[in-house]
Amino acid sequence: MFASPSILTGSVVNFTLLTPGIPTVCIEHPSKVVVTSTDNNGCKTSAEFSMDKDTLLKVAREGGYFSYVAGVAYKILEDHVVGGVQIDNYMTTLPLKKGLSSSAAICVLTTRAFNKLYDLRLTTRGEMEYAYQGELITPSQCGRLDQACAFGSTPVLMTYDGEFTGVQKITVGLELHFVIVDLCAAKSTVAILDGLRSAYPKAVTEEHQKLQDFLGPQNKAIVHEALDLMSADPESHGGPSAVVEKLGALLKRAQAGFDAHGAPLCPSELTAPVLHRCLEHPSLAPYITGGKWVGAGGDGTAQLLCRSAVAQREVARIVKDELHMDPMLLTVSPGSRIQTAVIPAGGFAGSLFPASQACKAELFPIYDARDGMCKPLILGTVEQLLDAGLERVVLVVQADDLRQFQRLFQDPITPSNATRLPDRDEGRLASYARRLIDMGRHVDFVVQEQQQGFGHAVHCAREHVGQAPFLLVLGHHVYLTAHEGGLGRSSVEQMLDAHKMLGTNVVGLKRSAIEEVPQFGTVTGSFRQEVDHVPNRVLTVTSVVEKPSESYARENLHVPGMPPDDFLTMFGMYAIEPAIFDILDDFIRHDLRSEKGDIAFTPALDQLRQASGLAGIVMEAERLPINSPEAFIETNQRLLKIAQDARASSLSQEQA
């Protein structure tokens, strides 16, 4: 019912492939697979074999720990031109042969190593498939759902109907404290699966039918009740303590059902006396709300849901000291909500010179179609960010420009100027002047001492962002909102929703004609139809390129399913995990610059994609860049027309 703690993340060459559970360093090898692995007891073993199909297939079929590495390498070599890998799995906290998907974990780890080292551009789902196919070559009894470890510590709902494997990330609404217990006993997964499979595909006895009912509709109902409890606001279910009690009851219900309907088909394994001794141990009762088996069942591993973090530590002590079993602590935390936005505003708009010499482009006056005011460009963006619920906006500016921005957000209007506000607006402008100062309390300034590019500007905000995801927004665009263009939710709200739904780095995208591509960063990938109800809206990004030529875009960046002259360019908003700062650190430390001599952002974003994934969301909004005199005038004209059309429509409705 809950994901096992087989956790993986990926990286390339000069990175560390950190795997909570199996931390690993990987580098390329010209011709061999070289593996060193340290198990959970500290014992180190090594193996090496040639990176050729015959050798890999032989090692895979022999069985054993290293057969999983060989099986995956064989499947990768069938489809891709790659060299070898050198894998140093220098620590493991995940016990082997305990029903915690340790075989799937090493298979996913190997797939991810090849994917990152050789930039195979596999999605997480693609990695899962190669891991599964690689393990099938070995004597192991593996299941598709084991590959959930590819998503690391992110809770996921996996469904399998015999053909399609569905994967959906889950946003947890509260912190859940588990103790995973190595029962220090023995079980036979092969025997368990043989017993359970006897009920499929057709039930020939009443016992078979009861098992099918339990593992089918009853199990589905339990899982979805758990999902509702885990993902909702805890207060809607009586508070966090009440949610933990209800989840514990579901764990008990699942265990009781499996005892009643699974055990009769394999009593030698599923009677599981050691498992039940743990679940029913009286000393644990005050500290846990429920528990159940993990994996195929039997005396392999148990999971206990604790009432609190303090209770979790006491449960671990009881398991170790009284039951003489091995506890592992697992805490599932709510996904980090984006609370901070970063707007780089330190560049120089040469295309708007000489006006940009006197006034920053981000401060150019823009007509606001919502309220008819004339506002500095960046003010409309800050307003949209705060209206969407963000708590902090960080503006990265040049030292010489700082005073201009401070005057906008921090200086109240002078009394003499306040008297010059027009009377006809019935105090609306005076009220907005007070609101402007209130907005300024949510704005921080970071000075970029030297203009070293977009990536450097983002890096300057590191201390203000901390270790949380953030929204990165370009300051020289107008983003049309629902009220301005009748286009649904604001662009900021769409980005926040996409990050919450997808649980990964997200880039906003805009459908653009081929002629526009050289002006913007452009991506390619494949649409994920199962994620959103709107087709061709959510993209798994496989490549990010900064302002490509038309010919390069046609050859390399077209997205399957789109018209031949349509491409996906960057909208100007990104929901980014803080790992981007480590990548930018490397760029700055090694002086990795673009042809223009800047610390660029797009290559760092593409490296982040390779390391931890990147999704794209096709925005139901509009981006109007202020990148030329004509664009500045056309944008204001368009906004004015939107307001005029809205007034005309309102007047027509009143007359009707």
Side-chain angles (χ1 to χ4, degrees):
M1 188 164 91
F2 301 108
S4 64
S6 310
I7 300 171
L8 295 166
T9 56
S11 178
V12 293
V13 191
N14 60 333
F15 287 37
T16 299
L17 198 98
L18 284 175
T19 310
I22 37 179
T24 308
V25 176
C26 301
I27 60 174
E28 293 181 21
H29 191 284
S31 60
K32 292 184 178 181
V33 176
V34 181
V35 188
T36 300
S37 184
T38 305
D39 69 16
N40 55 297
N41 295 314
C43 298
K44 181 176 289 189
T45 55
S46 299
E48 68 175 67
F49 29 87
S50 297
M51 188 69 184
D52 67 80
K53 289 184 180 179
D54 291 341
T55 300
L56 294 173
L57 189 58
K58 179 178 181 293
V59 175
R61 287 177 172 169
E62 287 174 351
Y65 182 78
F66 296 109
S67 70
Y68 304 121
V69 178
V72 169
Y74 176 83
K75 295 302 296 185
I76 293 287
L77 195 56
E78 276 196 321
D79 297 337
H80 301 278
V81 179
V82 296
V85 294
Q86 186 169 334
I87 299 174
D88 180 10
N89 166 207
Y90 59 84
M91 183 177 69
T92 296
T93 59
L94 184 68
L96 308 182
K97 299 181 180 180
K98 296 297 180 181
L100 290 175
S101 304
S102 57
S103 60
I106 189 62
C107 288
V108 171
L109 169 65
T110 304
T111 307
R112 189 158 291 171
F114 278 106
N115 189 25
K116 303 311 177 186
L117 290 171
Y118 293 101
D119 195 21
L120 303 182
R121 301 188 179 185
L122 300 176
T123 64
T124 303
R125 293 284 296 276
E127 291 177 339
M128 291 168 61
E129 184 63 26
Y130 271 104
Y132 176 65
Q133 295 298 332
E135 189 170 356
L136 282 180
I137 299 173
T138 75
S140 171
Q141 293 281 332
C142 66
R144 281 189 176 273
L145 301 190
D146 293 348
Q147 316 306 319
C149 59
F151 286 88
S153 56
T154 301
V156 295
L157 169 67
M158 295 188 69
T159 55
Y160 179 58
D161 63 3
E163 295 182 3
F164 175 74
T165 302
V167 182
Q168 177 185 342
K169 293 185 179 181
I170 301 166
T171 301
V172 180
L174 76 167
E175 199 163 70
L176 298 172
H177 303 280
F178 291 90
V179 172
I180 309 300
V181 182
D182 177 356
L183 297 172
C184 297
K187 71 166 191 175
S188 171
T189 300
V190 173
I192 292 171
L193 294 179
D194 284 345
L196 297 179
R197 284 171 181 156
S198 67
Y200 295 88
K202 183 178 180 180
V204 296
T205 68
E206 185 178 355
E207 282 185 343
H208 290 171
Q209 188 59 57
K210 288 180 178 179
L211 180 66
Q212 288 190 10
D213 289 343
F214 172 70
L215 294 181
Q218 293 180 47
N219 180 63
K220 183 177 180 180
I222 291 172
V223 169
H224 283 276
E225 283 185 52
L227 285 176
D228 290 342
L229 288 166
M230 292 168 67
S231 58
D233 180 352
E235 298 306 321
S236 65
H237 290 286
S241 296
V243 171
V244 173
E245 292 292 334
K246 292 174 182 177
L247 285 172
L250 288 174
L251 287 168
K252 292 178 180 177
R253 190 168 124 200
Q255 182 66 57
F258 197 62
D259 288 341
H261 307 302
L265 295 181
C266 187
S268 63
E269 294 291 333
L270 295 181
T271 302
V274 182
L275 168 68
H276 286 88
R277 183 162 66 90
C278 174
L279 296 177
E280 298 159 14
H281 189 63
S283 298
L284 293 174
Y287 304 104
I288 66 172
T289 62
K292 62 182 278 292
W293 82 103
V294 173
D299 284 336
T301 311
Q303 55 182 313
L304 309 175
L305 179 58
C306 307
R307 288 192 159 88
S308 66
V310 174
Q312 182 187 47
R313 292 192 291 272
E314 182 61 16
V315 167
R317 186 198 64 76
I318 293 170
V319 165
K320 187 172 183 63
D321 294 346
E322 297 184 21
L323 290 170
H324 307 292
M325 299 173 182
D326 293 335
M328 294 169 286
L329 276 60
L330 172 67
T331 299
V332 178
S333 300
S336 299
R337 181 175 68 89
I338 291 180
Q339 302 179 34
T340 301
V342 175
I343 306 178
F348 177 69
S351 59
L352 294 168
F353 181 83
S356 56
Q357 178 76 355
C359 175
K360 293 292 295 180
E362 290 83 1
L363 297 173
F364 274 27
I366 298 295
Y367 182 81
D368 192 327
R370 296 171 298 179
D371 53 27
M373 294 184 190
C374 185
K375 300 177 181 178
L377 169 59
I378 203 165
L379 177 56
T381 303
V382 169
E383 203 167 2
Q384 191 179 134
L385 290 165
L386 296 179
D387 286 347
L390 272 74
E391 299 176 5
R392 184 66 44 192
V393 179
V394 180
L395 300 185
V396 183
V397 302
Q398 294 292 305
D400 291 344
D401 304 322
L402 176 60
R403 188 68 194 109
Q404 294 184 55
F405 289 98
Q406 287 176 328
R407 184 177 298 125
L408 171 63
F409 287 106
Q410 295 181 349
D411 291 5
I413 188 170
T414 65
S416 60
N417 285 340
T419 62
R420 292 177 170 82
L421 296 176
D423 295 332
R424 64 179 183 276
D425 75 343
E426 299 177 344
R428 186 168 58 97
L429 291 179
S431 175
Y432 192 84
R434 292 189 292 272
R435 185 184 177 211
L436 184 54
I437 295 300
D438 183 63
M439 282 192 285
R441 296 189 180 98
H442 298 272
V443 176
D444 292 334
F445 297 98
V446 174
V447 173
Q448 183 184 18
E449 298 295 344
Q450 294 180 327
Q451 289 186 357
Q452 298 188 56
F454 182 23
H456 185 267
V458 174
H459 185 267
C460 288
R462 179 171 196 163
E463 290 187 9
H464 285 256
V465 171
Q467 293 301 310
F470 64 101
L471 200 65
L472 176 62
V473 181
L474 298 188
H476 54 271
H477 292 344
V478 172
Y479 303 99
L480 287 187
T481 67
H483 298 295
E484 294 166 330
L487 297 168
R489 296 164 300 158
S490 77
S491 50
V492 175
E493 290 170 324
Q494 291 178 52
M495 288 298 300
L496 296 176
D497 289 348
H499 181 262
K500 180 179 179 181
M501 174 180 68
L502 300 170
T504 188
N505 304 289
V506 182
V507 56
L509 301 173
K510 177 177 171 59
R511 295 177 185 270
S512 302
I514 183 64
E515 300 81 28
E516 299 178 61
V517 165
Q519 304 174 49
F520 301 99
T522 306
V523 308
T524 190
S526 57
F527 284 114
R528 300 166 59 178
Q529 308 298 354
E530 79 278 7
V531 174
D532 196 84
H533 296 301
V534 180
N536 292 358
R537 180 139 192 263
V538 178
L539 189 82
T540 296
V541 178
T542 57
S543 184
V544 183
V545 180
E546 178 64 18
K547 298 181 180 178
S549 65
E550 290 186 24
S551 60
Y552 182 91
R554 286 189 187 278
E555 186 173 346
N556 299 284
L557 300 176
H558 188 258
V559 177
M562 293 184 64
D565 287 336
D566 284 1
F567 292 81
L568 293 176
T569 61
M570 295 186 195
F571 184 78
M573 291 188 180
Y574 314 76
I576 301 293
E577 298 294 324
I580 190 68
F581 293 120
D582 291 331
I583 297 173
L584 290 169
D585 264 344
D586 281 342
F587 279 33
I588 293 170
R589 189 165 53 250
H590 297 105
D591 202 31
L592 301 177
R593 298 177 180 268
S594 68
E595 293 180 358
K596 295 181 179 179
D598 294 336
I599 301 296
F601 178 74
T602 301
L605 181 66
D606 196 48
Q607 219 175 87
L608 182 68
R609 172 196 66 78
Q610 295 175 44
S612 55
L614 177 65
I617 182 82
V618 180
M619 304 295 285
E620 294 176 339
E622 287 203 56
R623 164 205 70 199
L624 303 177
I626 308 300
N627 55 4
S628 69
E630 294 82 7
F632 170 65
I633 294 170
E634 289 169 3
T635 294
N636 275 305
Q637 289 175 335
R638 171 145 185 212
L639 293 171
L640 179 60
K641 187 175 187 308
I642 288 172
Q644 291 171 338
D645 290 347
R647 284 195 291 268
S649 175
S650 177
L651 181 61
S652 175
Q653 291 176 4
E654 289 177 5
Q655 292 173 344

